[in-house]
Amino acid sequence: MDMKILIVDDDMTVRELLRVILKDYTTFEADDGEKAVRMYQELKPDIVLMDIFMPKMDGIEATRKILEIDPEAVVIGVTAFHSNKGDELMKAGAKEVISKPFTRKWIVEAISRYAKA
């Protein structure tokens, strides 16, 4: 099954790294939370990989808005601020939070946990 994954991060290097790790999937990218919410509405991706600190709208607010649109949305946080903001992202509705720097294994395992069979 071809899964659609939305990568949301204001750091182009992080987006490129995730795109390479997820080369077997269809990926889309947003560089801020506002764009992520718009793209979620249009594309209905299977999984969203969400950074926290971004311009225009942070990942916590974007996660809340995405879950208002689709309560079944799967948002996985990917952030360097896991220790002080990870709980907030989880409260907003993220399924889990992966710390940066991450490994390929962590990303692939998280994706496979939420892949629709």
Side-chain angles (χ1 to χ4, degrees):
M1 183 196 116
D2 188 31
M3 276 202 333
K4 294 189 290 190
I5 300 173
L6 177 57
I7 299 167
V8 187
D9 200 303
D10 59 335
D11 185 332
M12 190 175 70
T13 310
V14 173
R15 292 197 314 270
E16 284 174 4
L17 179 59
L18 287 167
R19 194 172 57 233
V20 169
I21 290 172
L22 301 169
K23 67 184 185 312
D24 296 336
Y25 302 102
T26 302
T27 57
F28 304 92
E29 296 175 35
D31 57 8
D32 67 61
E34 269 181 19
K35 202 176 289 174
V37 173
R38 276 199 313 274
M39 289 178 76
Y40 189 88
Q41 284 177 297
E42 290 166 27
L43 303 166
K44 294 286 189 273
D46 300 290
I47 293 176
V48 180
L49 297 178
M50 182 73 74
D51 186 23
I52 292 180
F53 289 107
M54 295 179 291
K56 295 187 184 167
M57 181 190 296
D58 69 19
I60 294 164
E61 183 63 21
T63 297
R64 275 194 206 105
K65 288 190 182 304
I66 286 170
L67 283 154
E68 282 170 19
I69 296 163
D70 177 7
E72 302 294 304
V74 175
V75 177
I76 299 171
V78 182
T79 181
F81 298 93
H82 185 286
S83 58
N84 58 350
K85 287 290 185 179
D87 287 349
E88 234 178 297
L89 194 61
M90 294 292 290
K91 281 189 193 103
K95 301 287 187 204
E96 65 182 89
V97 180
I98 297 169
S99 291
K100 288 180 189 172
F102 50 79
T103 65
R104 181 184 188 283
K105 183 176 186 261
W106 296 348
I107 299 293
V108 170
E109 285 175 352
I111 297 295
S112 60
R113 271 195 289 279
Y114 301 102
K116 294 185 179 87

